[in-house]
Amino acid sequence: MTALDGPAYRALFTSFTRTAWRWEAQPTYTMPAEQSGLARFLAGEPEPPDHNADWHQAIRAWTATGKNIARVRAVTPPLTDYQRYQLAWGIPGNVRAGEDVRVLDLSVHPEVLVPQRDFWLLDSTTVVHLDFDDDGRLLGRELVEEPDLDLYHQWRTAATTRAVPVRQWNARP
């Protein structure tokens, strides 16, 4: 595996040609840039109109050129504060920008065998692991050399076919 610094990681997102798919398994992500938004959400404040605007702009640019960006977010109720924040503030804006985001409730689908490690699958051939500590802090990113693509494709298929679109998830009673 090859460690990816910020510029090398970002370069992968300028060079993918068709698809970028993310598996999100962590119950909490402790990303410095999100902490003020999370605090505002937990305080009951309204979502700012420019929340996550840079990511939304990137999604719109990718989809305008025919690229597809998607993810499946794993959850096991009860949801963490971070999951509630993402499902209310972060992900709906991603969907409006053109990302296909789905939610896989592992308490409903315990038969789905998926990794606890987050990853990106770019163009169905490039795998990047995202490593987090127990508190959701990013420890690093690694480009997987010679990944078992059949396994990653199986995980993507299993997660995607059993997950529901985030709009459907958020509309539940």
Side-chain angles (χ1 to χ4, degrees):
M1 291 202 214
T2 303
L4 295 172
D5 63 8
Y9 178 69
R10 285 188 294 279
L12 293 172
F13 290 89
T14 60
S15 64
F16 82 94
T17 60
R18 296 177 320 278
T19 61
W21 187 83
R22 168 96 184 256
W23 168 245
E24 286 187 328
Q26 307 311 305
T28 298
Y29 297 95
T30 308
M31 307 303 285
E34 293 180 326
Q35 295 312 297
S36 66
L38 175 59
R40 292 175 71 181
F41 169 78
L42 293 174
E45 295 180 24
E47 179 181 354
D50 64 343
H51 181 73
N52 218 12
D54 291 342
W55 182 246
H56 299 159
Q57 182 178 357
I59 293 168
R60 285 189 292 274
W62 291 322
T63 58
T65 62
K67 297 177 181 178
N68 177 277
I69 183 134
R71 76 180 68 213
V72 171
R73 173 73 163 109
V75 298
T76 304
L79 301 182
T80 65
D81 287 344
Y82 183 85
Q83 289 169 329
R84 291 185 311 102
Y85 160 68
Q86 279 298 86
L87 289 164
W89 278 25
I91 292 174
N94 295 4
V95 171
R96 286 189 299 274
E99 183 176 357
D100 177 8
V101 183
R102 297 171 183 267
V103 177
L104 176 60
D105 184 339
L106 293 172
S107 70
V108 173
H109 295 288
E111 77 283 0
V112 178
L113 300 178
V114 287
Q116 290 302 305
R117 168 184 260 164
D118 288 34
F119 65 89
W120 279 100
L121 179 59
L122 303 160
D123 291 329
S124 297
T125 60
T126 302
V127 176
V128 177
H129 285 172
L130 306 171
D131 296 316
F132 296 89
D133 68 13
D134 290 341
D135 293 323
R137 286 185 287 271
L138 182 65
L139 299 174
R141 298 169 288 248
E142 299 173 319
L143 179 65
V144 180
E145 298 167 15
E146 300 183 32
D148 179 349
L149 290 174
D150 287 340
L151 183 59
Y152 287 92
H153 294 168
Q154 288 171 15
W155 286 333
R156 178 181 59 192
T157 299
T160 302
T161 58
R162 289 172 183 85
V164 298
V166 72
R167 287 182 178 152
Q168 182 179 340
W169 171 267
N170 282 346
R172 293 172 308 123

